[in-house]
Amino acid sequence: GGLLAATSSPGQVLRLEPRTQGAFLSSVLQTPAVARWGQLDIHVKTLKGQTVVVESRSGNTAIPDGTWGKWKTLSADGAEITNAPATFAQFRVRMTGTTTSSPLLEYARLFYQPVNQAPQIRLEAPKPGEFWKGMKDIRWDARDPDEDKLVYTVHLSKDDGQTWNQLSRTLEDSESADTGKPKPNGNGKSTDESPKPKVQTEVEEKHISWDSKSVPDGSYRVKIVASDKYARPTDAKSAEVISGRFVVDNTLPSVALDDKVYGWEKMKRIEVTDNLTPLIGGRFKIDDGPWIALVAEDGMFNSKAEFALLVSPDGEIDLLAGAHKVTIQVKDSADNLLDKTYTVVIGEKPPQPVARITVPATEGNDKNLADLMLWSLDEKK
């Protein structure tokens, strides 16, 4: 029942006795990402008097160390591995045989499913501090580590993220929109009913067109939420990104000037203001003359309120007597452009205002009131 072996250097005799116990240790099995473990499909042939114990463990290092979980026992015919999700796994088969035979491990196969990973998302527009007006594109870039299909929702906040309102877009019925004809009913006959618009709150594209005029002027933040819920309905993951504050301004700058003024003195220095964004400059022209840049009185257009000077590169502006058209254009940081024409009258004085006095009626007069119109006839008064 034994085996003898002789060695020559050093000279010795070894006696080997049959073993009835042994173990098979698998190599370290690696998955592409952190995975949840399924069944260990294992096939072992055993005879009477033979036993098999199957164990498994998992960890996140290529070489098992103290960070790995402990060995957990499974049934010999395979069972769900209960080890913690990880990137690496290993199994061990401890076998007990007889003096004449041992169990036979034919194959083992481990099933796993990568743990669903959250999407990754990055906002491209708007950027912090930008000034927006009119139609704009909110844009982002996103990917899913598991290559799951993603859907997105877009949200807007005016109170610095304390509350959010979800943006949506209205889609017309595609069939009617494509043909421009009434949609047929179930009998194949056309109906004059207009197609009902469909409201879409989720998008698959990585951008959405948004009309900033749909909200009041002010500071806003945008939030984009990416989700793989349709690809992983029972284990969905999401990610979000929130923009820095940006400004919506759809209001034109204004000029503190009457539509008609008398004398160039009231025209050559004007006050320009904007409700929300800094002014960036402007220009003017007189009648059909060339455009001339406005000059900021303090040397730079960079605030919401500026005094602008109308000066000529040729020196003092000296206009002939009569009425002249002065067109002024002023732009703010959101690209809102005021374009307005004013009238300046040279060589005339503005008409004097009319004084209207109500005088009580005298006794016996059927009229209750009499109006006296007093005109200033003397220019010296």
Side-chain angles (χ1 to χ4, degrees):
L3 176 66
L4 299 179
T7 63
S8 60
S9 179
Q12 57 182 341
V13 176
L14 302 177
R15 178 174 175 148
L16 306 179
E17 295 183 353
R19 295 180 58 188
T20 58
Q21 293 183 348
F24 169 79
L25 182 64
S26 76
S27 59
V28 175
L29 309 176
Q30 182 178 2
T31 62
V34 175
R36 291 174 28 234
W37 308 114
Q39 184 181 33
L40 178 62
D41 180 17
I42 187 169
H43 192 268
V44 182
K45 284 186 177 181
T46 58
L47 301 175
K48 185 177 180 180
Q50 299 174 352
T51 60
V52 172
V53 176
V54 182
E55 300 169 309
S56 64
R57 63 178 177 176
S58 63
N60 289 299
T61 58
I63 299 176
D65 57 17
T67 64
W68 277 52
K70 296 181 179 180
W71 288 103
K72 292 189 177 182
T73 303
L74 306 174
S75 62
D77 57 352
E80 295 287 333
I81 292 180
T82 59
N83 301 93
T87 308
F88 300 92
Q90 190 176 38
F91 68 92
R92 180 173 65 185
V93 183
R94 293 191 297 163
M95 297 175 282
T96 301
T98 65
T99 56
T100 58
S101 63
S102 66
L104 174 63
L105 172 61
E106 291 190 326
Y107 69 85
R109 179 169 47 220
L110 175 60
F111 291 90
Y112 68 91
Q113 182 178 56
V115 171
N116 188 23
Q117 302 178 77
Q120 300 169 358
I121 186 168
R122 176 176 58 87
L123 188 68
E124 295 181 346
K127 296 186 181 298
E130 283 189 337
F131 303 108
W132 276 23
K133 75 157 192 172
M135 294 296 300
K136 302 294 285 188
D137 269 353
I138 300 173
R139 305 190 315 275
W140 60 91
D141 187 30
R143 61 176 295 272
D144 189 271
D146 306 315
E147 298 185 358
D148 294 329
K149 186 176 182 179
L150 299 175
V151 293
Y152 310 96
T153 55
V154 184
H155 308 260
L156 188 70
S157 175
K158 197 178 188 305
D159 53 15
D160 210 23
Q162 297 182 41
T163 59
W164 295 94
N165 294 318
Q166 185 172 342
L167 299 182
S168 61
R169 61 182 182 180
T170 302
L171 301 178
E172 297 296 335
D173 183 271
S174 59
E175 184 174 352
S176 295
D178 291 341
T179 62
K181 299 179 181 179
K183 182 180 177 181
N185 59 22
N187 298 323
K189 298 180 181 180
S190 63
T191 174
D192 293 333
E193 293 182 2
S194 299
K196 295 181 179 180
K198 299 177 182 179
V199 177
Q200 185 182 36
T201 57
E202 295 176 341
V203 296
E204 297 179 2
E205 302 85 2
K206 298 177 183 179
H207 63 88
I208 185 173
S209 293
W210 175 58
D211 185 3
S212 66
K213 292 182 179 180
S214 63
V215 297
D217 289 358
S219 297
Y220 291 87
R221 290 183 188 268
V222 161
K223 176 173 69 175
I224 314 297
V225 179
S227 173
D228 60 3
K229 63 182 182 180
Y230 295 115
R232 309 274 187 149
T234 60
D235 185 27
K237 291 290 190 295
S238 64
E240 66 179 42
V241 60
I242 298 177
S243 74
R245 287 197 299 174
F246 65 100
V247 175
V248 171
D249 181 7
N250 286 291
T251 304
L252 299 178
S254 61
V255 175
L257 193 66
D258 294 334
D259 291 345
K260 188 175 184 179
V261 298
Y262 291 82
W264 184 252
E265 288 296 320
K266 294 184 179 180
M267 177 67 73
K268 68 179 183 180
R269 180 179 182 267
I270 58 175
E271 183 181 7
V272 185
T273 58
D274 191 84
N275 69 321
L276 204 57
T277 56
L279 300 164
I280 60 174
R283 61 181 185 173
F284 74 97
K285 71 175 181 178
I286 301 173
D287 296 326
D288 295 325
W291 286 103
I292 304 173
L294 293 174
V295 176
E297 188 177 56
D298 62 1
M300 183 183 300
F301 286 100
N302 59 0
S303 66
K304 293 183 289 184
E306 298 277 359
F307 282 100
L309 305 179
L310 279 67
V311 297
S312 169
D314 299 325
E316 287 290 330
I317 296 178
D318 187 14
L319 300 178
L320 298 175
H324 298 270
K325 299 295 183 182
V326 179
T327 302
I328 297 176
Q329 292 182 346
V330 180
K331 184 180 290 188
D332 64 17
S333 298
D335 212 29
N336 293 299
L337 178 66
L338 171 72
D339 187 349
K340 189 172 181 179
T341 299
Y342 302 85
T343 299
V344 57
V345 180
I346 306 299
E348 295 182 19
K349 291 188 176 181
Q352 296 297 316
V354 176
R356 190 177 185 87
I357 302 176
T358 301
V359 179
T362 59
E363 293 183 3
N365 195 334
D366 292 337
K367 293 183 178 181
N368 294 326
L369 297 176
D371 294 338
L372 298 179
M373 305 299 292
L374 303 179
W375 294 82
S376 175
L377 303 177
D378 189 348
E379 293 183 356
K380 295 183 179 179
K381 289 184 180 180

